C-alpha cells in the first residue's frame, strides 16, 4: 500500500506542476500582450522630402516612315527628347502646348505658322518611364498639325514647339 500511495502522490504532483506551469505561462503571455498593447512612448523624428528637379525637353517634328514633310492641312509626329536629371525614374504623364510654335531664324517671312501641337490624352498610353539621370526620345504620333493659314514663307522652316511636360514619380 505504501508504494501505491507514493505513486499517487507523485502523479498528483506532476499534474500540479504541469497546471502551475500552464498558469505561469498564460500569465506571462498575457502580461507581454498587455504591455505591447498598452505601451506608450514619446520620441521625435524627422525626414526631408526631396525636390523634383525640372526635366528639360526639346520637341522636333518627326516624319513617320513614308510620311511627307509637314504641309498646310497635314499632320506629323512629334519627337520629344526629355532629359531626367533626377536620381530616380519618372513617368511622363502628359504633354501639352505651352505657347505658339515659332519658326527658325532663317524664315523671317513665316509670320503666321499655322503650326500647333495637339496634346495627347493623359495619362499617356502606353506608359512612358524616363530613367534616372538619362535622356529618352518619345514619339507622339500625329500631334503636330499645320493649318491652311500658314504663310508660304514657312516652307522648309524648323519650328520651336514650347511644351509643358507633366511627370510623376
Amino acid at each position: 500500500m505504501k508504494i501505491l500511495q507514493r505513486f499517487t502522490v507523485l502523479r498528483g504532483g506532476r499534474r500540479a506542476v504541469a497546471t502551475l506551469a500552464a498558469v505561469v505561462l498564460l500569465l506571462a503571455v498575457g502580461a507581454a500582450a498587455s504591455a505591447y498593447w498598452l505601451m506608450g512612448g514619446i520620441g521625435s523624428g524627422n525626414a526631408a522630402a526631396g525636390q523634383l528637379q525640372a526635366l528639360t525637353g526639346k520637341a522636333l517634328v518627326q516624319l513617320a516612315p513614308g510620311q511627307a514633310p509637314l504641309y498646310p492641312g497635314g499632320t506629323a509626329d512629334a519627337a520629344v527628347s526629355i532629359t531626367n536629371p533626377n536620381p530616380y525614374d519618372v513617368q511622363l504623364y502628359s504633354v501639352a502646348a505651352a505657347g505658339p510654335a515659332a519658326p527658325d531664324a532663317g524664315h523671317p517671312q513665316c509670320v503666321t505658322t499655322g503650326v500647333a501641337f495637339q496634346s495627347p490624352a493623359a495619362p499617356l498610353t502606353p506608359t512612358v518611364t524616363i530613367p534616372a539621370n538619362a535622356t529618352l526620345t518619345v514619339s507622339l504620333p500625329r500631334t503636330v498639325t499645320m493649318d491652311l493659314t500658314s504663310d508660304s514663307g514657312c516652307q522648309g522652316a524648323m519650328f520651336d514647339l514650347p511644351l509643358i511636360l507633366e511627370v510623376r514619380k
Side-chain angles (χ1 to χ4, degrees):
M1 189 94 170
K2 266 187 173 182
I3 294 175
L4 186 58
Q5 253 183 348
R6 191 173 190 182
F7 178 71
T8 304
V9 170
L10 286 177
R11 186 171 170 173
R14 284 184 185 165
R15 225 183 256 159
V17 168
T19 302
L20 182 61
V23 168
V24 169
L25 181 64
L26 284 174
L27 287 174
V29 169
S34 175
Y36 177 78
W37 288 107
L38 298 176
M39 180 170 58
I42 300 174
S44 65
N46 57 40
Q51 181 79 18
L52 174 68
Q53 294 181 44
L55 277 66
T56 57
K58 181 174 183 170
L60 307 167
V61 173
Q62 171 182 316
L63 298 179
Q67 181 181 11
L70 187 60
Y71 58 90
T75 63
D77 299 345
V80 183
S81 177
I82 305 167
T83 301
N84 177 11
N86 295 291
Y88 47 83
D89 297 352
V90 293
Q91 177 188 352
L92 181 60
Y93 185 80
S94 68
V95 181
D104 61 65
H107 291 81
Q109 296 84 8
C110 182
V111 178
T112 303
T113 68
V115 175
F117 180 79
Q118 306 297 317
S119 302
L124 292 181
T125 305
T127 301
V128 176
T129 300
I130 300 139
N133 300 307
T135 298
L136 179 69
T137 299
V138 178
S139 181
L140 302 171
R142 305 182 55 78
T143 53
V144 180
T145 62
M146 180 182 259
D147 67 27
L148 299 175
T149 64
S150 300
D151 290 335
S152 61
C154 295
Q155 292 180 33
M158 296 288 288
F159 298 96
D160 179 22
L161 297 170
L163 301 174
I164 296 172
L165 308 175
E166 181 182 347
V167 297
R168 297 183 178 184
K169 186 170 183 309

